[in-house]
Amino acid sequence: MLMALEPESPRKATPLQVAKAVLSAFVGIRRRAAHEHDAVTITPLQVIVAGVIGAAIFVLSLIMLVRHITS
């Protein structure tokens, strides 16, 4: 009797891996192998949350920079 082997599900990406992927997406630099690995391990929810957090940090840092320069 043959039993079908279930393929291993890929591990979920760590928060650091998600942050690296989102940061490289902001900058526009990403290697193909890293992109393909991320496509398997990072979930859409992780990307959305990290993107919103990254955008908020970026906007807040710009606001702080402008306030510092103008004061």
Side-chain angles (χ1 to χ4, degrees):
M1 181 184 275
L2 292 174
M3 293 176 50
L5 296 175
E6 293 182 28
E8 287 186 30
S9 61
R11 292 183 181 176
K12 259 186 148 177
T14 65
L16 182 61
Q17 290 172 325
V18 176
K20 284 181 182 178
V22 170
L23 181 62
S24 66
F26 279 159
V27 176
I29 302 171
R30 196 74 176 149
R31 290 187 178 163
R32 178 180 220 126
H35 173 72
E36 290 172 358
H37 180 266
D38 291 342
V40 175
T41 59
I42 298 176
T43 64
L45 181 61
Q46 288 176 314
V47 172
I48 291 168
V49 170
V52 168
I53 291 170
I57 290 171
F58 178 70
V59 169
L60 291 174
S61 64
L62 285 178
I63 291 171
M64 288 174 44
L65 178 66
V66 169
R67 284 187 179 180
H68 178 71
I69 291 173
T70 58
S71 63

